[in-house]
Amino acid sequence: MADLSSLPHQLDARKGTCRAIIETPKGSRNKFDYDPESNLFELGGLLPEGMMFPFDFGFIPSTLGEDGDPLDILVLMDAPAHVGCLIEVRIIGIITAEQIQDGTKESNDRLLGVAIHSYDHEHLESIDDVSKTLIDQLETFFVSYNKQRGKKFRITSTGGPKKAVAFLKAGIKARKMKKRR
């Protein structure tokens, strides 16, 4: 079976669409992580009682982030997907952040996308179309989630689809560069 993190991302920069693989479904307290060696999803942690993922969380295949993993994406969709589900998404923005663990600081940005098949979020074209209240709640979730894991997480900015697609292209390039080594 193929390594899911190596699947084609199928980025269409003009439309701002690509594919994402869901690791953790909306509403889950379980945090799942994809393990490319076994090609399985393993339990990576458990959120405290009353805390859950606000939307599906996963990664863009054939990309590489500063943290050494594929680029993260939060996917707005009507109902939770299954772990391992491959979804076509429209990239609407990015939440840029710094993460500090054991005195080491790194970028750990989150792409924001809408599932192509979403009815509830089909009108969203940019992060600017998302209510400020929802963006604040997503930021609070990521800060709290990382605090539970012993990390400091600080939102530095947000950006729209152009900034997000540029970030995605950089992640694609980083993955290609790593494969050449």
Side-chain angles (χ1 to χ4, degrees):
M1 190 189 290
D3 169 6
L4 298 180
S5 63
S6 296
L7 288 175
H9 48 74
Q10 294 187 346
L11 173 64
D12 181 331
R14 189 179 56 77
K15 291 182 182 177
T17 59
C18 67
R19 300 196 306 178
I21 297 172
I22 302 305
E23 289 178 298
T24 302
K26 172 183 179 176
S28 178
R29 287 182 54 213
N30 295 330
K31 167 65 171 94
F32 296 102
D33 297 313
Y34 177 67
D35 175 31
E37 288 184 29
S38 68
N39 205 29
L40 295 171
F41 292 83
E42 62 185 341
L43 184 63
L46 181 65
L47 296 178
E49 192 67 47
M51 189 175 179
M52 63 188 72
F53 276 80
F55 290 100
D56 291 331
F57 186 76
F59 64 90
I60 307 294
S62 294
T63 63
L64 187 65
E66 187 177 310
D67 61 359
D69 293 329
L71 298 180
D72 294 325
I73 185 166
L74 191 68
V75 180
L76 282 64
M77 193 163 61
D78 307 14
H82 294 282
V83 173
C85 187
L86 181 63
I87 297 177
E88 187 178 1
V89 298
R90 180 176 59 257
I91 303 296
I92 64 167
I94 185 170
I95 298 171
T96 59
E98 293 177 340
Q99 181 176 292
I100 302 169
Q101 183 175 14
D102 301 327
T104 303
K105 185 190 314 185
E106 67 183 6
S107 294
N108 200 351
D109 305 328
R110 309 299 202 234
L111 290 164
L112 190 59
V114 172
I116 296 298
H117 297 290
S118 174
Y119 296 118
D120 293 346
H121 306 286
E122 68 184 344
H123 65 285
L124 300 176
E125 298 290 332
S126 169
I127 196 168
D128 296 333
D129 298 332
V130 179
S131 75
K132 181 174 177 359
T133 301
L134 181 55
I135 295 297
D136 289 345
Q137 290 172 358
L138 295 177
E139 291 176 357
T140 299
F141 169 77
F142 284 122
V143 169
S144 298
Y145 167 76
N146 280 281
K147 183 177 180 181
Q148 293 294 321
R149 298 172 73 101
K151 303 173 186 176
K152 279 190 167 184
F153 193 83
R154 186 174 75 82
I155 307 299
T156 55
S157 69
T158 59
K162 286 184 182 176
K163 183 176 180 179
V165 169
F167 174 75
L168 184 49
K169 286 180 176 179
I172 291 166
K173 183 177 180 181
R175 170 71 183 236
K176 287 179 181 173
M177 296 297 287
K178 182 180 179 185
K179 283 183 77 172
R180 288 185 189 147
R181 291 184 203 158

